[in-house]
Amino acid sequence: MKIGFIGVGKMASAIINAIKETDTSIIISGSSLERSIEIAKKLGVDYAKSHQELIDQVDLVVLGVKPQKFPSVLNGLIFKQAIMSMAAGITLEKLQQLTDDKLPLIRIMPNMNAIIRESTTAITFNEKASDKWKGYCLQLTNQFGKTYEIEEKDFDTFTALAGSSPAFIYQFIEAMAKAGVNNGISKDKALEIVEQTVMASALNLQETNSNPNDLIDAICSPGGTTIAGLMDLEKNHFTHTISSAIDQTITKAKRL
């Protein structure tokens, strides 16, 4: 299988690094020929002299273009193969209008954890995608993480829960570390402690197949330190703040 990437930003580069070790031939086309040569050398893949040259020689085109640039980048290009888009806000219907309604179209939404091959990725297909294409695409996306096949109507919610939420989690980790510094622990040590705790807590939730509330109850003892902290979080609207941030992210995604 030969895969071509049009647009090679951070996300596309992370995906390429994950899949180039498989039985896959990769070629890229960036914003300019000079940029394509530079990135191809860095990633250890081939480059095309133009987007159309790339399209004419691959089995699958992956679009790593920013959503607002789709119309200008795709204008005049002639596609003849399956197309995979990773752009937020570009629906399969919109992609069909910009390309060809007779082709298999795939929409994915990975997150930046693809860098460490631990992306949480959503995927959906149009009616032209055969079971063979679906199987291949799922195999491909699982190379850089875990894939969830969901209905397209849920993509904006998925974008908030998996695409944007790592930034919220990092903000939480940073806040916890600052609290450690405020109470006498060095920033490096505080970060190390919080990182390990967050990672192990998520793993505990997965491996025990527990409900979060069950584990919260297991940690809290009557009149103890943990319940005191939790009550303060709720007094400061912690749950509502997180939920509101997700809602705002979804609203923004729907406007793209």
Side-chain angles (χ1 to χ4, degrees), residues 156-189:
D156 292 331
T157 301
F158 184 93
T159 298
L161 292 177
S164 300
S165 67
F168 309 154
I169 294 168
Y170 298 144
Q171 182 86 345
F172 172 76
I173 290 172
E174 177 68 13
M176 292 278 286
K178 284 179 178 177
V181 174
N182 189 49
N183 286 276
I185 297 178
S186 71
K187 181 65 176 293
D188 288 346
K189 182 61 69 175

Side-chain angles (χ1 to χ4, degrees), residues 118-185:
E118 289 292 347
S119 173
T120 307
T121 304
I123 191 168
T124 193
F125 308 87
N126 73 350
E127 68 281 358
K128 300 295 183 180
S130 64
D131 288 342
K132 182 178 179 180
W133 265 116
K134 290 179 180 180
Y136 176 77
C137 290
L138 285 166
Q139 182 181 11
L140 186 71
T141 55
N142 282 333
Q143 291 293 323
F144 50 89
K146 186 171 183 178
T147 309
Y148 296 86
E149 186 174 355
I150 65 172
E151 294 184 36
E152 189 174 31
K153 68 180 181 63
D154 296 322
F155 256 58
D156 292 331
T157 301
F158 184 93
T159 298
L161 292 177
S164 300
S165 67
F168 309 154
I169 294 168
Y170 298 144
Q171 182 86 345
F172 172 76
I173 290 172
E174 177 68 13
M176 292 278 286
K178 284 179 178 177
V181 174
N182 189 49
N183 286 276
I185 297 178

Side-chain angles (χ1 to χ4, degrees), residues 24 73 161 204 214:
T24 302
V73 171
L161 292 177
N204 190 6
D214 293 337

Side-chain angles (χ1 to χ4, degrees), residues 5-69:
F5 284 77
I6 295 178
V8 199
K10 291 181 180 178
M11 183 65 72
S13 295
I15 291 172
I16 290 170
N17 277 324
I19 68 174
K20 69 181 182 182
E21 298 173 4
T22 64
D23 186 21
T24 302
S25 177
I26 298 172
I27 185 170
I28 68 166
S29 180
S31 56
S32 68
L33 179 56
E34 291 75 17
R35 184 67 174 150
S36 296
I37 294 171
E38 177 187 348
I39 298 174
K41 183 177 180 180
K42 180 179 179 181
L43 294 174
V45 297
D46 294 328
Y47 67 89
K49 294 179 181 178
S50 69
H51 296 338
Q52 190 62 58
E53 181 184 275
L54 177 145
I55 292 168
D56 290 342
Q57 59 181 302
V58 301
D59 304 298
L60 171 67
V61 176
V62 180
L63 299 174
V65 181
K66 292 181 179 179
Q68 60 270 28
K69 292 186 177 181

